[in-house]
Coordinates of all heavy atoms in Angstrom, one line a residue:
M294 N 34.8 134.6 113.0 CA 34.7 135.1 111.6 C 33.3 135.2 111.2 O 32.4 134.4 111.5 CB 35.4 134.2 110.6 CG 36.9 133.9 111.0 SD 37.9 135.3 111.0 CE 38.5 135.3 109.3
A295 N 33.0 136.3 110.4 CA 31.6 136.5 110.0 C 31.7 137.1 108.6 O 32.5 137.9 108.2 CB 30.9 137.5 110.9
W296 N 30.7 136.7 107.8 CA 30.6 137.2 106.4 C 29.9 138.6 106.5 O 28.9 138.7 107.1 CB 29.8 136.2 105.5 CG 30.6 135.0 105.2 CD1 30.5 133.8 105.9 CD2 31.6 134.8 104.3 NE1 31.4 132.9 105.3 CE2 32.1 133.5 104.4 CE3 32.2 135.7 103.3 CZ2 33.1 133.0 103.5 CZ3 33.2 135.2 102.5 CH2 33.7 133.9 102.6
K297 N 30.5 139.5 105.7 CA 30.0 140.9 105.7 C 29.7 141.3 104.3 O 30.4 141.0 103.4 CB 31.1 141.8 106.3 CG 31.5 141.5 107.7 CD 30.5 142.0 108.7 CE 31.0 141.8 110.1 NZ 30.1 142.4 111.1
A298 N 28.6 142.0 104.2 CA 28.2 142.6 102.9 C 29.2 143.7 102.5 O 29.6 144.5 103.3 CB 26.8 143.1 102.9
T299 N 29.5 143.8 101.2 CA 30.3 144.8 100.7 C 29.5 145.9 100.0 O 30.0 147.0 99.7 CB 31.4 144.3 99.7 OG1 30.7 143.8 98.6 CG2 32.2 143.2 100.4
G300 N 28.3 145.5 99.5 CA 27.5 146.5 98.7 C 27.9 146.4 97.3 O 27.4 147.3 96.5
V301 N 28.8 145.5 96.9 CA 29.3 145.5 95.5 C 28.6 144.3 94.8 O 28.7 143.2 95.2 CB 30.8 145.3 95.5 CG1 31.3 145.0 94.1 CG2 31.5 146.4 96.1
A302 N 27.9 144.7 93.7 CA 27.3 143.7 92.8 C 28.4 143.0 92.0 O 29.1 143.7 91.3 CB 26.2 144.3 92.0
W303 N 28.4 141.7 92.0 CA 29.5 141.0 91.3 C 29.4 141.3 89.8 O 30.4 141.5 89.1 CB 29.3 139.5 91.5 CG 30.3 138.6 90.8 CD1 30.1 137.7 89.9 CD2 31.7 138.6 91.0 NE1 31.2 137.1 89.5 CE2 32.3 137.7 90.1 CE3 32.6 139.4 91.8 CZ2 33.6 137.4 90.1 CZ3 33.9 139.1 91.7 CH2 34.5 138.2 90.9
A304 N 28.2 141.4 89.2 CA 28.0 141.6 87.8 C 28.5 143.0 87.4 O 28.9 143.2 86.2 CB 26.6 141.4 87.4
A305 N 28.6 143.9 88.3 CA 29.0 145.3 88.0 C 30.5 145.5 88.4 O 31.0 146.6 88.2 CB 28.1 146.3 88.8
F306 N 31.2 144.5 88.8 CA 32.6 144.6 89.2 C 33.4 144.0 88.1 O 33.6 142.8 88.0 CB 32.7 143.9 90.6 CG 34.0 144.1 91.3 CD1 34.9 145.1 91.0 CD2 34.4 143.2 92.3 CE1 36.1 145.3 91.7 CE2 35.6 143.4 93.0 CZ 36.4 144.5 92.7
A307 N 33.9 144.9 87.3 CA 34.6 144.4 86.1 C 35.9 143.7 86.4 O 36.7 144.2 87.3 CB 34.9 145.6 85.2
P308 N 36.3 142.7 85.7 CA 37.6 142.0 85.8 C 38.7 143.0 85.6 O 38.6 143.9 84.7 CB 37.6 140.9 84.8 CG 36.2 140.7 84.5 CD 35.5 142.0 84.7
G309 N 39.8 142.9 86.4 CA 40.9 143.8 86.2 C 40.7 145.2 86.9 O 41.5 146.1 86.7
T310 N 39.7 145.3 87.8 CA 39.5 146.5 88.5 C 39.5 146.2 90.0 O 39.5 145.1 90.5 CB 38.1 147.1 88.1 OG1 37.1 146.3 88.6 CG2 38.0 147.4 86.6
M311 N 39.6 147.3 90.7 CA 39.6 147.2 92.2 C 38.9 148.4 92.8 O 38.7 149.4 92.1 CB 41.0 147.2 92.8 CG 41.9 148.3 92.4 SD 43.6 148.0 93.0 CE 44.4 149.5 92.3
R312 N 38.5 148.3 94.0 CA 37.8 149.4 94.7 C 37.9 149.3 96.2 O 38.1 148.2 96.7 CB 36.3 149.5 94.3 CG 35.5 148.3 94.7 CD 34.1 148.4 94.2 NE 34.0 148.3 92.8 CZ 32.9 148.3 92.1 NH1 31.7 148.5 92.7 NH2 32.9 148.2 90.8
A313 N 37.8 150.4 96.9 CA 37.8 150.4 98.3 C 36.3 150.3 98.8 O 35.4 150.9 98.2 CB 38.5 151.6 98.9
V314 N 36.2 149.6 99.9 CA 34.9 149.6 100.6 C 35.1 149.8 102.1 O 36.2 149.4 102.6 CB 34.1 148.3 100.4 CG1 33.6 148.1 99.0 CG2 34.9 147.0 100.8
N315 N 34.2 150.4 102.8 CA 34.2 150.6 104.2 C 33.2 149.7 104.9 O 32.1 149.7 104.6 CB 34.0 152.0 104.6 CG 35.0 153.0 104.0 OD1 36.2 152.7 104.2 ND2 34.6 154.0 103.3
I316 N 33.7 148.9 105.8 CA 32.9 147.9 106.5 C 33.2 148.0 108.0 O 34.4 147.8 108.4 CB 33.1 146.5 106.0 CG1 32.9 146.4 104.5 CG2 32.2 145.5 106.8 CD1 33.3 145.1 103.9
D317 N 32.3 148.2 108.8 CA 32.4 148.3 110.3 C 33.6 149.1 110.7 O 34.4 148.8 111.6 CB 32.6 146.8 110.8 CG 31.4 146.0 110.7 OD1 30.3 146.6 110.4 OD2 31.5 144.8 110.8
G318 N 33.8 150.3 110.0 CA 34.9 151.2 110.4 C 36.2 150.9 109.8 O 37.2 151.6 110.0
G319 N 36.3 149.8 109.0 CA 37.6 149.4 108.4 C 37.5 149.7 106.9 O 36.4 149.7 106.3
T320 N 38.7 149.9 106.3 CA 38.8 150.1 104.8 C 39.4 148.9 104.2 O 40.5 148.4 104.7 CB 39.6 151.3 104.5 OG1 39.0 152.5 105.1 CG2 39.7 151.5 103.0
Y321 N 38.7 148.3 103.2 CA 39.2 147.1 102.6 C 39.3 147.3 101.1 O 38.6 148.1 100.5 CB 38.2 145.9 102.9 CG 38.1 145.7 104.4 CD1 37.1 146.3 105.1 CD2 39.1 144.9 105.0 CE1 37.1 146.1 106.5 CE2 39.0 144.7 106.4 CZ 38.0 145.3 107.1 OH 38.0 145.2 108.5
L322 N 40.2 146.6 100.5 CA 40.4 146.6 99.0 C 39.8 145.4 98.4 O 40.2 144.3 98.8 CB 41.9 146.7 98.7 CG 42.3 146.7 97.2 CD1 41.9 148.1 96.6 CD2 43.8 146.5 97.1
L323 N 39.0 145.6 97.5 CA 38.4 144.5 96.7 C 39.1 144.5 95.3 O 39.1 145.6 94.7 CB 36.9 144.6 96.6 CG 36.1 144.7 97.8 CD1 34.6 144.8 97.5 CD2 36.3 143.5 98.7
V324 N 39.5 143.3 94.8 CA 40.1 143.2 93.5 C 39.4 142.1 92.8 O 39.2 141.0 93.3 CB 41.6 142.9 93.7 CG1 42.3 142.9 92.3 CG2 42.3 144.0 94.6
H325 N 39.1 142.4 91.5 CA 38.5 141.4 90.6 C 39.6 141.0 89.6 O 39.9 141.7 88.7 CB 37.3 141.9 89.9 CG 36.6 140.9 89.1 ND1 35.4 141.1 88.5 CD2 36.9 139.6 88.9 CE1 34.9 140.0 87.9 NE2 35.8 139.1 88.1
L326 N 40.2 139.8 89.9 CA 41.2 139.2 89.0 C 40.6 138.1 88.2 O 40.2 137.1 88.8 CB 42.4 138.7 89.7 CG 43.5 139.7 90.3 CD1 44.6 138.9 90.9 CD2 44.0 140.6 89.2
G327 N 40.5 138.2 86.9 CA 40.0 137.0 86.1 C 38.6 136.7 86.6 O 37.7 137.5 86.5
T328 N 38.4 135.5 87.1 CA 37.1 135.1 87.5 C 36.9 135.1 89.0 O 35.9 134.7 89.6 CB 36.8 133.7 87.0 OG1 37.7 132.8 87.6 CG2 36.7 133.6 85.5
A329 N 37.9 135.5 89.8 CA 37.9 135.5 91.2 C 38.0 136.9 91.8 O 38.7 137.8 91.3 CB 39.0 134.6 91.8
A330 N 37.4 137.0 93.0 CA 37.5 138.3 93.8 C 38.4 138.0 95.0 O 38.4 137.0 95.6 CB 36.2 138.8 94.2
Y331 N 39.2 139.1 95.3 CA 40.1 139.0 96.5 C 39.8 140.2 97.3 O 39.5 141.3 96.8 CB 41.5 139.0 96.0 CG 41.9 137.7 95.2 CD1 41.7 137.8 93.8 CD2 42.2 136.6 95.8 CE1 42.0 136.6 93.1 CE2 42.5 135.4 95.1 CZ 42.4 135.5 93.7 OH 42.6 134.3 93.0
A332 N 40.0 140.1 98.6 CA 39.8 141.2 99.6 C 41.1 141.3 100.5 O 41.6 140.2 100.9 CB 38.6 140.9 100.4
L333 N 41.5 142.5 100.7 CA 42.7 142.8 101.5 C 42.4 144.0 102.4 O 41.5 144.8 102.1 CB 43.9 143.1 100.6 CG 44.3 142.1 99.5 CD1 45.0 142.7 98.4 CD2 45.1 141.0 100.2
D334 N 43.3 144.2 103.3 CA 43.3 145.5 104.0 C 43.5 146.6 102.9 O 44.3 146.4 102.0 CB 44.4 145.6 105.0 CG 44.2 144.7 106.2 OD1 43.0 144.5 106.6 OD2 45.2 144.2 106.8
G335 N 42.8 147.7 103.1 CA 42.8 148.7 102.0 C 43.9 149.8 102.2 O 44.0 150.7 101.4
V336 N 44.6 149.7 103.4 CA 45.6 150.7 103.7 C 47.0 150.1 103.7 O 47.2 149.1 104.4 CB 45.2 151.3 105.1 CG1 46.3 152.3 105.5 CG2 43.9 152.0 105.1
C337 N 47.9 150.7 103.1 CA 49.2 150.2 103.0 C 49.9 150.1 104.3 O 49.8 151.0 105.2 CB 50.1 151.1 102.0 SG 51.8 150.6 101.8
T338 N 50.6 149.1 104.5 CA 51.3 148.9 105.8 C 52.6 149.7 106.0 O 53.1 149.8 107.1 CB 51.7 147.4 106.0 OG1 52.6 147.0 104.9 CG2 50.5 146.5 106.0
H339 N 53.0 150.4 104.9 CA 54.1 151.3 105.0 C 53.8 152.6 105.7 O 54.1 152.8 106.9 CB 54.8 151.5 103.7 CG 55.9 152.4 103.7 ND1 56.1 153.5 102.8 CD2 57.0 152.5 104.5 CE1 57.2 154.1 103.1 NE2 57.8 153.5 104.1
E340 N 53.1 153.4 105.1 CA 52.7 154.7 105.7 C 51.3 155.1 105.4 O 50.9 156.3 105.3 CB 53.7 155.8 105.2 CG 55.1 155.7 105.8 CD 56.0 156.8 105.4 OE1 55.6 157.7 104.6 OE2 57.1 156.8 105.9
G341 N 50.4 154.1 105.2 CA 49.0 154.3 105.1 C 48.4 154.8 103.8 O 47.3 155.3 103.7
G342 N 49.1 154.5 102.7 CA 48.6 154.9 101.4 C 47.3 154.1 101.1 O 47.1 153.0 101.5
S343 N 46.4 154.8 100.3 CA 45.2 154.2 99.9 C 45.4 153.3 98.7 O 45.6 153.7 97.6 CB 44.2 155.2 99.5 OG 43.0 154.6 99.0
L344 N 45.4 152.0 98.9 CA 45.7 151.0 97.9 C 44.7 151.1 96.7 O 45.1 150.8 95.6 CB 45.8 149.6 98.4 CG 47.0 149.5 99.4 CD1 47.0 148.1 100.1 CD2 48.3 149.7 98.7
A345 N 43.5 151.4 97.0 CA 42.5 151.5 95.9 C 42.9 152.6 94.9 O 42.5 152.6 93.7 CB 41.1 151.8 96.4
D346 N 43.8 153.5 95.3 CA 44.3 154.6 94.4 C 45.6 154.2 93.7 O 46.1 155.0 92.9 CB 44.5 155.9 95.2 CG 43.2 156.5 95.7 OD1 42.2 156.3 95.1 OD2 43.3 157.1 96.8
G347 N 46.0 152.9 93.9 CA 47.2 152.4 93.3 C 46.9 151.8 92.0 O 45.9 152.1 91.3
T348 N 47.9 150.9 91.5 CA 47.8 150.4 90.2 C 47.9 148.9 90.3 O 48.7 148.3 91.1 CB 49.1 150.8 89.4 OG1 49.1 152.3 89.4 CG2 49.1 150.3 88.0
L349 N 47.0 148.2 89.5 CA 47.0 146.8 89.4 C 48.1 146.4 88.4 O 48.2 146.9 87.3 CB 45.7 146.2 89.0 CG 44.7 145.8 90.0 CD1 43.4 145.3 89.4 CD2 45.3 144.8 91.0
D350 N 48.9 145.4 88.8 CA 50.0 144.9 87.9 C 50.0 143.4 88.0 O 50.6 142.8 88.9 CB 51.3 145.5 88.3 CG 52.5 145.0 87.4 OD1 52.2 144.7 86.3 OD2 53.6 145.0 87.9
G351 N 49.3 142.8 87.1 CA 49.1 141.3 87.2 C 48.3 141.0 88.5 O 47.4 141.7 88.8
P352 N 48.9 140.1 89.3 CA 48.3 139.8 90.6 C 48.7 140.7 91.7 O 48.5 140.4 92.8 CB 48.7 138.3 90.8 CG 50.0 138.2 90.2 CD 49.9 139.1 88.9
G353 N 49.4 141.8 91.3 CA 49.9 142.7 92.3 C 49.3 144.0 92.3 O 48.7 144.5 91.3
V354 N 49.2 144.7 93.5 CA 48.7 146.0 93.6 C 49.9 146.9 94.1 O 50.6 146.5 95.0 CB 47.5 146.2 94.5 CG1 47.8 145.7 95.9 CG2 47.0 147.6 94.5
I355 N 50.1 148.0 93.4 CA 51.2 148.9 93.7 C 50.7 150.1 94.4 O 49.8 150.8 93.9 CB 52.0 149.3 92.4 CG1 52.5 148.1 91.7 CG2 53.1 150.3 92.7 CD1 53.1 148.3 90.3
C356 N 51.2 150.4 95.6 CA 50.8 151.5 96.4 C 51.1 152.8 95.7 O 52.2 153.0 95.1 CB 51.5 151.5 97.8 SG 51.0 152.9 98.8
P357 N 50.2 153.8 95.7 CA 50.5 155.0 95.0 C 51.5 155.9 95.7 O 52.0 156.9 95.0 CB 49.1 155.7 94.9 CG 48.4 155.2 96.2 CD 48.9 153.8 96.3
E358 N 51.8 155.6 96.9 CA 52.7 156.6 97.7 C 54.2 156.3 97.4 O 54.9 157.2 97.0 CB 52.4 156.5 99.2 CG 51.0 156.8 99.5 CD 50.6 158.3 99.2 OE1 51.5 159.1 99.2 OE2 49.5 158.6 98.9
H359 N 54.6 155.1 97.7 CA 56.1 154.8 97.5 C 56.3 153.5 96.8 O 57.4 152.9 96.9 CB 56.8 154.8 98.9 CG 56.4 155.9 99.8 ND1 55.5 155.8 100.8 CD2 56.8 157.2 99.8 CE1 55.3 157.0 101.4 NE2 56.1 157.9 100.8
A360 N 55.3 153.0 96.1 CA 55.4 151.9 95.2 C 55.7 150.5 95.9 O 56.2 149.6 95.2 CB 56.5 152.2 94.2
A361 N 55.3 150.3 97.1 CA 55.3 149.0 97.7 C 54.3 148.1 96.8 O 53.3 148.7 96.4 CB 54.9 148.9 99.1
K362 N 54.6 146.8 96.6 CA 53.8 146.0 95.8 C 53.4 144.8 96.6 O 54.2 144.1 97.2 CB 54.5 145.6 94.5 CG 53.7 144.8 93.6 CD 54.4 144.5 92.3 CE 53.7 143.7 91.3 NZ 54.5 143.5 90.0
F363 N 52.1 144.5 96.6 CA 51.5 143.4 97.4 C 50.8 142.4 96.4 O 50.1 142.8 95.5 CB 50.5 143.9 98.4 CG 51.1 144.9 99.4 CD1 51.0 146.3 99.1 CD2 51.7 144.5 100.5 CE1 51.5 147.2 100.0 CE2 52.2 145.4 101.4 CZ 52.1 146.8 101.1
D364 N 50.9 141.1 96.8 CA 50.1 140.1 96.0 C 48.7 140.1 96.5 O 48.4 139.9 97.7 CB 50.7 138.7 96.3 CG 50.2 137.6 95.4 OD1 49.0 137.6 95.1 OD2 51.0 136.8 94.9
V365 N 47.8 140.4 95.6 CA 46.4 140.6 96.0 C 45.7 139.2 96.4 O 44.7 139.2 97.1 CB 45.5 141.2 94.9 CG1 46.0 142.6 94.5 CG2 45.4 140.4 93.7
R366 N 46.4 138.1 96.0 CA 45.8 136.8 96.4 C 46.2 136.4 97.8 O 45.4 135.6 98.4 CB 46.3 135.8 95.4 CG 46.0 136.1 94.0 CD 46.8 135.3 93.0 NE 48.2 135.6 93.1 CZ 49.1 135.1 92.3 NH1 48.8 134.3 91.3 NH2 50.4 135.5 92.5
S367 N 47.2 136.9 98.3 CA 47.7 136.5 99.7 C 48.1 137.7 100.6 O 48.2 137.5 101.8 CB 49.0 135.6 99.5 OG 50.0 136.4 99.0
G368 N 48.3 138.8 100.1 CA 48.7 140.0 100.9 C 50.2 140.0 101.0 O 50.8 141.0 101.6
A369 N 51.0 139.1 100.5 CA 52.4 139.0 100.6 C 53.1 140.2 100.0 O 52.6 140.8 99.0 CB 53.0 137.8 99.9
V370 N 54.2 140.7 100.5 CA 54.9 141.8 100.0 C 55.7 141.3 98.8 O 56.5 140.4 98.9 CB 55.9 142.4 101.0 CG1 56.7 143.5 100.4 CG2 55.1 142.9 102.2
L371 N 55.5 141.9 97.6 CA 56.3 141.5 96.4 C 57.4 142.5 96.2 O 58.5 142.1 95.6 CB 55.4 141.5 95.2 CG 54.2 140.5 95.2 CD1 53.3 140.7 94.0 CD2 54.7 139.1 95.4
A372 N 57.2 143.7 96.6 CA 58.3 144.7 96.6 C 58.1 145.7 97.6 O 57.0 146.2 97.8 CB 58.3 145.4 95.2
D373 N 59.1 146.1 98.4 CA 59.0 147.0 99.4 C 59.1 148.4 98.9 O 59.5 148.6 97.7 CB 60.0 146.8 100.5 CG 59.5 145.9 101.6 OD1 58.3 145.8 101.7 OD2 60.3 145.4 102.4
P374 N 58.8 149.4 99.7 CA 58.9 150.8 99.2 C 60.3 151.1 98.6 O 61.3 150.6 99.1 CB 58.7 151.7 100.5 CG 57.9 150.8 101.3 CD 58.4 149.4 101.0
D375 N 60.3 151.9 97.6 CA 61.6 152.3 97.0 C 62.4 151.2 96.5 O 63.6 151.2 96.4 CB 62.4 153.2 97.9 CG 61.7 154.4 98.4 OD1 61.0 155.0 97.5 OD2 61.8 154.8 99.5
A376 N 61.7 150.1 96.1 CA 62.3 148.9 95.5 C 63.3 148.1 96.4 O 64.1 147.4 96.0 CB 62.9 149.2 94.2
I377 N 63.2 148.3 97.8 CA 64.0 147.6 98.7 C 63.4 146.2 98.8 O 62.2 146.0 99.2 CB 64.1 148.2 100.1 CG1 64.6 149.7 99.9 CG2 64.9 147.4 101.0 CD1 64.5 150.5 101.2
V378 N 64.2 145.1 98.5 CA 63.6 143.8 98.5 C 63.5 143.2 99.9 O 64.5 143.4 100.7 CB 64.6 142.9 97.6 CG1 64.1 141.4 97.7 CG2 64.6 143.4 96.2
P379 N 62.4 142.5 100.3 CA 62.3 141.9 101.6 C 63.4 140.9 101.7 O 63.9 140.4 100.8 CB 61.0 141.2 101.5 CG 60.2 141.9 100.4 CD 61.2 142.4 99.5
P380 N 63.9 140.6 103.0 CA 63.3 141.1 104.2 C 63.9 142.4 104.8 O 63.6 142.7 105.9 CB 63.7 139.9 105.2 CG 65.0 139.5 104.7 CD 65.0 139.6 103.2
T381 N 64.7 143.1 104.0 CA 65.3 144.3 104.5 C 64.4 145.5 104.4 O 64.6 146.5 104.9 CB 66.6 144.6 103.9 OG1 66.4 144.7 102.5 CG2 67.7 143.5 104.2
G382 N 63.3 145.3 103.6 CA 62.4 146.4 103.4 C 61.5 146.7 104.7 O 61.7 146.0 105.7
V383 N 60.6 147.6 104.6 CA 59.8 148.0 105.8 C 58.3 147.8 105.7 O 57.6 148.1 106.6 CB 60.1 149.5 106.1 CG1 61.6 149.6 106.5 CG2 59.8 150.4 104.9
A384 N 57.8 147.3 104.6 CA 56.4 147.0 104.5 C 56.1 145.6 105.0 O 56.8 144.7 104.7 CB 55.9 147.2 103.1
D385 N 55.0 145.5 105.8 CA 54.6 144.2 106.3 C 53.5 143.7 105.3 O 52.9 144.5 104.6 CB 53.9 144.4 107.7 CG 55.0 144.7 108.7 OD1 56.1 144.2 108.6 OD2 54.7 145.5 109.6
P386 N 53.2 142.4 105.3 CA 52.2 141.9 104.5 C 50.8 142.4 104.9 O 50.6 142.8 106.0 CB 52.2 140.3 104.8 CG 53.6 140.1 105.3 CD 54.0 141.3 106.1
L387 N 49.9 142.4 103.9 CA 48.5 142.8 104.2 C 47.8 141.6 104.6 O 48.1 140.4 104.2 CB 47.9 143.3 102.9 CG 48.5 144.6 102.3 CD1 47.9 144.8 100.9 CD2 48.2 145.8 103.2
T388 N 46.7 141.7 105.4 CA 45.8 140.6 105.7 C 44.9 140.4 104.5 O 44.3 141.4 104.0 CB 45.0 140.9 107.0 OG1 45.9 141.1 108.1 CG2 44.1 139.8 107.3
A389 N 44.8 139.2 104.1 CA 43.9 138.8 103.0 C 42.6 138.1 103.6 O 42.7 137.4 104.7 CB 44.6 137.9 102.0
Y390 N 41.5 138.3 103.0 CA 40.2 137.8 103.5 C 39.5 137.0 102.4 O 39.7 137.3 101.2 CB 39.3 139.0 103.9 CG 39.9 139.9 104.9 CD1 40.6 141.0 104.5 CD2 39.9 139.6 106.3 CE1 41.3 141.9 105.4 CE2 40.5 140.5 107.2 CZ 41.2 141.6 106.8 OH 41.8 142.4 107.7
R391 N 38.8 136.0 102.9 CA 38.0 135.2 101.9 C 36.9 136.0 101.4 O 36.3 136.9 102.0 CB 37.5 133.9 102.6 CG 38.7 133.0 103.0 CD 38.2 131.6 103.3 NE 37.0 131.5 104.2 CZ 36.2 130.4 104.2 NH1 36.4 129.4 103.5 NH2 35.2 130.4 105.0
T392 N 36.5 135.6 100.2 CA 35.3 136.3 99.5 C 34.3 135.2 99.0 O 34.7 134.1 98.8 CB 35.7 137.2 98.3 OG1 36.2 136.3 97.3 CG2 36.8 138.2 98.7
R393 N 33.1 135.7 98.8 CA 32.1 134.8 98.2 C 31.0 135.7 97.6 O 30.9 136.9 97.9 CB 31.5 133.8 99.2 CG 30.6 134.5 100.3 CD 30.0 133.5 101.2 NE 29.0 134.2 102.2 CZ 28.4 133.6 103.2 NH1 28.6 132.3 103.4 NH2 27.6 134.2 103.9
V394 N 30.2 135.1 96.7 CA 29.1 135.8 96.1 C 27.8 135.2 96.5 O 27.7 134.0 96.4 CB 29.2 135.8 94.6 CG1 28.0 136.5 93.9 CG2 30.5 136.5 94.1
V395 N 26.9 136.0 97.1 CA 25.6 135.5 97.6 C 24.6 136.4 96.9 O 24.6 137.6 97.1 CB 25.5 135.5 99.1 CG1 24.1 135.1 99.5 CG2 26.6 134.7 99.8
D396 N 23.7 135.7 96.2 CA 22.6 136.4 95.5 C 23.2 137.6 94.7 O 22.6 138.7 94.6 CB 21.6 137.0 96.5 CG 20.8 135.8 97.2 OD1 20.7 134.7 96.6 OD2 20.4 136.0 98.4
G397 N 24.3 137.3 94.1 CA 24.9 138.3 93.1 C 25.7 139.4 93.8 O 26.2 140.3 93.1
M398 N 25.8 139.4 95.2 CA 26.5 140.4 95.9 C 27.8 139.8 96.5 O 27.8 138.7 97.1 CB 25.6 141.0 97.0 CG 24.4 141.7 96.4 SD 24.7 143.0 95.3 CE 25.3 144.3 96.4
L399 N 28.8 140.6 96.5 CA 30.1 140.2 97.0 C 30.2 140.4 98.5 O 29.8 141.4 99.0 CB 31.3 141.0 96.4 CG 32.7 140.5 96.6 CD1 32.9 139.1 96.2 CD2 33.6 141.5 95.9
E400 N 30.6 139.3 99.2 CA 30.8 139.4 100.7 C 32.3 139.1 101.0 O 32.9 138.3 100.3 CB 29.9 138.4 101.4 CG 28.4 138.7 101.2 CD 27.5 137.7 101.9 OE1 28.0 136.7 102.4 OE2 26.3 137.9 102.0
V401 N 32.7 139.5 102.2 CA 34.1 139.2 102.7 C 33.9 138.7 104.1 O 33.0 139.0 104.9 CB 35.0 140.4 102.7 CG1 35.2 140.9 101.3 CG2 34.5 141.5 103.6
E402 N 34.8 137.8 104.4 CA 34.8 137.2 105.8 C 35.8 137.9 106.6 O 37.0 137.8 106.4 CB 35.1 135.7 105.7 CG 34.9 135.0 107.0 CD 35.2 133.5 106.9 OE1 36.2 133.1 106.2 OE2 34.5 132.7 107.6
L403 N 35.3 138.6 107.6 CA 36.1 139.4 108.6 C 36.0 138.8 110.0 O 35.1 138.0 110.3 CB 35.6 140.8 108.6 CG 35.6 141.5 107.2 CD1 35.1 143.0 107.4 CD2 37.0 141.5 106.6
D404 N 36.9 139.3 110.8 CA 36.9 138.8 112.2 C 35.6 139.2 112.9 O 35.0 140.2 112.6 CB 38.1 139.5 113.0 CG 39.4 138.9 112.5 OD1 39.4 137.8 111.9 OD2 40.4 139.7 112.6
Ligands
FES180 S1 52.5 154.3 101.9 FE1 52.5 152.6 100.6 S2 54.5 152.3 99.9 FE2 54.6 154.0 101.4

C-alpha cells in the first residue's frame, strides 16, 4: 500500500461534495462528508457509470445510470440497480480506500 497525492486541497473541498480524480491510470471518487473524506472506486460495478456524476444522499452515492446506491464510508451496496435489494441484485461493492491530509492536501492509500 502506498499513499498517493490526489491534487485536491482539503480547504477547497467543500463538505457535502464529491469529485473524481485520476491516479496511476485509475479513476477514484473522493467524497467529503462532514469532517471526513472518503475514497472509493470511481466507476460503478454494475455497468461502469461515473459515480462522480451521481448524487450524494446522506452517506450514500447514487449512480447516475441505473440508481445503484453505495455507502461512501465502506463501498457496501445499499441498493442495487432498479431497486433490486441485495443479495439478488447485480452490483458488487466498491473498494474503499483510506484517506489522510498532508500539508493541506488530500491523499489516498492505494495498492
Ligand atoms: S452503471 Fe451504475 S447502476 Fe448501472
Side-chain angles (χ1 to χ4, degrees):
M294 304 297 271
W296 289 99
K297 300 284 186 171
T299 65
V301 174
W303 180 243
F306 191 17
T310 65
M311 58 184 178
R312 64 182 68 182
V314 292
N315 295 310
I316 303 170
D317 294 343
T320 301
Y321 301 92
L322 179 70
L323 303 178
V324 182
H325 187 172
L326 280 185
T328 59
Y331 298 91
L333 305 156
D334 290 326
V336 177
C337 181
T338 57
H339 177 226
E340 290 183 357
S343 172
L344 295 172
D346 295 329
T348 304
L349 268 178
D350 180 27
V354 58
I355 300 171
C356 179
E358 299 297 332
H359 313 103
K362 184 175 180 180
F363 302 91
D364 190 319
V365 301
R366 300 165 297 185
S367 66
V370 177
L371 299 175
D373 267 343
D375 301 323
I377 301 169
V378 177
T381 56
V383 293
D385 292 322
L387 299 168
T388 300
Y390 305 93
R391 296 197 310 160
T392 66
R393 69 180 183 182
V394 177
V395 176
D396 295 331
M398 300 300 289
L399 189 60
E400 296 183 350
V401 296
E402 188 178 36
L403 304 179
D404 293 335

